[in-house]
Amino acid sequence: MTDKSMKITGKTLIDWGFEPGPWFKEAILQAALMRENGYNNEEIYGMLQGFVPPPKIQMRGDDHDDYANFLPDPENDIERQNAKAVCAAMDQIMRVPTVEAGAVMPDACPAGTIPVGGVVATKDAIHPGYHSADVCCSMAISVFPDRHDPKKVLDAIQVLTHFGPTKRRARPAEVSESFVAAMENNQFLKGLETVAVEHFTTQGDGNHFYYVGHLESTGELAIVSHHGSRGLGAQVYKRGMAAATRETQKIATGVPKGHAWLDMNTDIGQDYWGALSAVRTWTKHNHFEVHDAVLRLIGEHTVRDRFWNPHNFVFQREGLWVHAKGATPSYHGHSHDDAGRTLIPMNMAEPILITEHNDLDEAVGFAPHGAGRNMSRTQFLRENEPEHPKGIDARFWCGTPDLSELPAAYKNAQKVVNAIEHHSLATIADRIMPYGSIMAGDWEQNAPWRNR
C-alpha cells in the first residue's frame, strides 16, 4: 500500500479488509481528501480505522446471572404452568446485555415481555418494554375522620370518577396549563397535549379501582385509588418503544422484540426519562384531584394522611435503572416523594396492605403489588363461574360486572401475604378493611357512552 496515485474506492476498502457499511461513504470522501494532500496508503488506512463502527453488542448465553425468585412452591398444575412461564420470560431477560439484576415477586404471572411481578435492574439503559404501556400504574390513599357514611362516600366517587377507555368531556379538575405548555419541549410528549387534557381524572379499565374502607388501627375512613397514566402514558410508551427499537438496532444484534433499550448517556435517553417523569407527575395529580373532588362533594375539609406509590415504573437505585412491572418499591428514597410507606392491594374483598420499606437487596428493594393471577382472564372465564363477593358494596361503573375481576380470578391473598412476611419483602404496618369498591366493569357490553 504505497501508491499515492491510486484512487481509493469502496472496492479498495474491501480489499484492505474492511467490512462494507454506511460509514464507507464518508470515509471514502475523507480518504480522497487525504490523497489530494499527499498522504500515503498506510496513513489513510490508519485514518479509516477511526470510521469502523464498534462490533455490535450480543445477547448473553445461558451462563447469565441468576435472579431472585420469590414465587411460592406451586401446589397444582395451574400454578406450575404459571411459574414455568414466568421463569422462561425472566431467563430471556437476564440474557439481555444491559441487565444487572432481577427478581420475581410472589404474585408474579406471565404477561408478555416481562412478567407482572418482575423487577429488572439495568446499567445505563431504560427498556420501555420492561415498564410496559400502563406507565406509572399506581396507588393513592387519602385518610380523613370517620364521620361520613361510607356508602355516601362511594356514591360521591361514582358520580365524580370516570372509568372506561374513552376521553372525558366534563372533568372535576383540569391539568395545569404550565404542564401542558411544557410538553412542547419533549419529543416524546409533543403532540399529546389533547390526550393529557381529555384523559385527566379518568381511571381506565381492567383491574383499576376506587376503594372505600376503614383503617384497621384507628377506624378512620380512607379512599384508595388504583390507576395509571391512561392514554398519555400509553402513547409515550409507544413512542419510546419505537425509538428504543430503532436505537438498539444500531448497536446490538439478536435482541428479541420488546427488549430494546434507550442509552441513558444519550440525549434521546434523557428525553425519554424526562417524559416518564412528566407522566409520573400527571398521574399523581390525577389521583389526588379526584380525591379532592370527592372530599368537596361530601363536605370534608380535613385530610389526616395522604400518600401514593407507583408500581409500574422505572426507579433509580445505586447507579442502576430499576424497572418494575407490577412490583412495589420497598426501599427508602425510591423517589423524591417517598413516604416510607406503600400500598399493596389484593382483590376487592380483601384488605389493602399499608407496608413499610424493608430495603431487601436480594429483592432489588421491591415487594409484590397485589395478588396477581394464575391464568389469563379468558382462561379463567372459560373454566370458572365466579360468584360475586358477599359482605361488600361491589360496583361496576359501566353497569355490567367484569367477572374476570372478581376475587376468585386472583391468587390466594393470604399466600401472598405469607410470602411478603416470610421473605421480609416489606413490613405490614396497617390494613384498610373493605367497605366497597368501584371498577370499570365490562364496558364493552353496556358502556354508558353508548347509551342515550
Side-chain angles (χ1 to χ4, degrees):
M1 295 185 295
T2 57
D3 186 1
K4 293 184 179 181
S5 65
M6 183 180 70
K7 182 179 180 181
I8 295 177
T9 65
K11 183 179 183 304
T12 309
L13 270 59
I14 293 172
D15 290 342
W16 288 358
F18 292 108
E19 290 291 330
W23 63 275
F24 263 31
K25 182 177 181 181
E26 186 178 352
I28 291 170
L29 291 174
Q30 185 63 32
L33 183 62
M34 290 183 70
R35 174 71 81 218
E36 290 177 6
N37 286 283
Y39 287 92
N40 61 35
N41 286 349
E42 286 80 2
E43 292 169 320
I44 294 173
Y45 182 85
M47 177 276 298
L48 291 171
Q49 297 290 335
F51 278 91
V52 178
K56 287 198 170 186
I57 301 169
Q58 304 284 331
M59 292 284 286
R60 295 175 180 140
D62 293 334
D63 57 345
H64 58 73
D65 292 339
D66 206 355
Y67 55 91
N69 188 342
F70 297 99
L71 279 170
D73 291 335
E75 298 180 354
N76 52 54
D77 286 344
I78 291 174
E79 292 184 359
R80 277 187 283 274
Q81 291 170 7
N82 177 85
K84 182 179 180 180
V86 166
C87 292
M90 287 300 297
D91 286 340
Q92 185 173 66
I93 286 171
M94 299 305 295
R95 294 182 59 235
V96 176
T98 61
V99 174
E100 298 284 322
V104 169
M105 295 295 109
D107 62 329
C109 53
T113 302
I114 180 173
V116 173
V119 181
V120 181
T122 62
K123 182 69 173 176
D124 296 332
I126 287 182
H127 294 249
Y130 294 174
H131 62 65
S132 77
D134 196 6
V135 180
C136 206
C137 191
S138 45
M139 303 289 300
I141 182 173
S142 292
V143 179
F144 49 96
D146 183 26
R147 57 173 175 247
H148 297 279
D149 179 352
K151 179 183 181 303
K152 292 183 178 179
V153 175
L154 201 59
D155 289 344
I157 293 171
Q158 190 161 353
V159 168
L160 290 165
T161 191
H162 179 103
F163 283 97
T166 59
K167 61 187 180 182
R168 185 171 187 175
R169 292 182 175 84
R171 295 174 288 274
E174 298 291 347
V175 65
S176 71
E177 293 181 1
S178 60
F179 178 92
V180 174
M183 294 174 66
E184 171 75 19
N185 302 320
N186 185 288
Q187 61 182 299
F188 294 100
L189 294 170
K190 185 177 181 180
L192 300 178
E193 292 84 355
T194 300
V195 178
V197 170
E198 293 182 341
H199 283 212
F200 198 57
T201 66
T202 70
Q203 276 62 62
D205 56 3
N207 64 351
H208 297 164
F209 62 75
Y210 254 99
Y211 179 106
V212 174
H214 295 84
L215 294 189
E216 185 178 45
S217 60
T218 65
E220 292 171 292
L221 200 62
I223 57 176
V224 181
S225 50
H226 172 217
H227 62 74
S229 51
R230 304 289 288 108
L232 175 61
Q235 290 300 315
V236 167
Y237 158 77
K238 183 178 179 180
R239 293 178 174 188
M241 197 71 250
T245 300
R246 184 174 63 250
E247 295 300 309
T248 300
Q249 287 174 346
K250 296 176 183 177
I251 60 173
T253 184
V255 177
K257 183 178 180 181
H259 295 267
W261 65 88
L262 289 166
D263 186 340
M264 297 311 294
N265 295 312
T266 64
D267 289 342
I268 193 169
Q270 288 299 314
D271 272 0
Y272 189 62
W273 175 238
L276 291 181
S277 300
V279 168
R280 183 185 190 278
T281 297
W282 184 97
T283 308
K284 181 179 180 179
H285 290 166
N286 197 41
H287 279 285
F288 288 125
E289 288 292 356
V290 177
H291 286 215
D292 288 343
V294 171
L295 295 173
R296 289 192 297 269
L297 187 59
I298 65 175
E300 179 55 66
H301 304 286
T302 303
V303 177
R304 201 271 299 172
D305 193 14
R306 151 177 296 187
F307 62 93
W308 86 305
N309 64 270
H311 53 225
N312 238 51
F313 200 59
V314 183
F315 305 82
Q316 296 182 68
R317 187 176 192 227
E318 299 174 356
L320 299 176
W321 296 89
V322 185
H323 306 66
K325 168 70 179 294
T328 302
S330 187
Y331 67 94
H332 290 87
H334 63 75
S335 59
H336 70 276
D337 52 3
D338 173 25
R341 297 165 294 162
T342 52
L343 297 160
I344 302 179
M346 296 295 160
N347 62 60
M348 65 174 68
E350 293 286 338
I352 293 175
L353 307 181
I354 297 178
T355 65
E356 296 174 347
H357 304 334
N358 271 6
D359 296 270
L360 184 66
D361 286 339
E362 186 182 0
V364 203
F366 281 75
H369 89 307
R373 298 174 183 269
N374 274 320
M375 62 182 74
S376 70
R377 299 170 190 268
T378 303
Q379 182 182 357
F380 172 76
L381 293 177
R382 186 172 60 245
E383 299 179 7
N384 296 273
E385 295 182 5
E387 295 183 1
H388 287 253
K390 296 179 173 62
I392 63 169
D393 186 351
R395 307 182 187 183
F396 294 93
W397 195 77
C398 293
T400 303
D402 181 350
L403 301 181
S404 70
E405 287 299 333
L406 295 180
Y410 287 87
K411 294 185 179 184
N412 182 281
Q414 190 57 52
K415 287 179 67 173
V416 177
V417 172
N418 292 345
I420 292 172
E421 295 179 325
H422 175 72
H423 296 290
S424 298
L425 299 172
T427 298
I428 299 173
D430 206 345
R431 291 173 172 83
I432 309 156
M433 311 308 290
Y435 164 78
S437 67
I438 300 174
M439 302 188 78
D442 191 348
W443 55 268
E444 292 181 298
Q445 295 294 322
N446 191 27
W449 52 87
R450 291 177 180 164
N451 299 328
R452 292 185 179 276

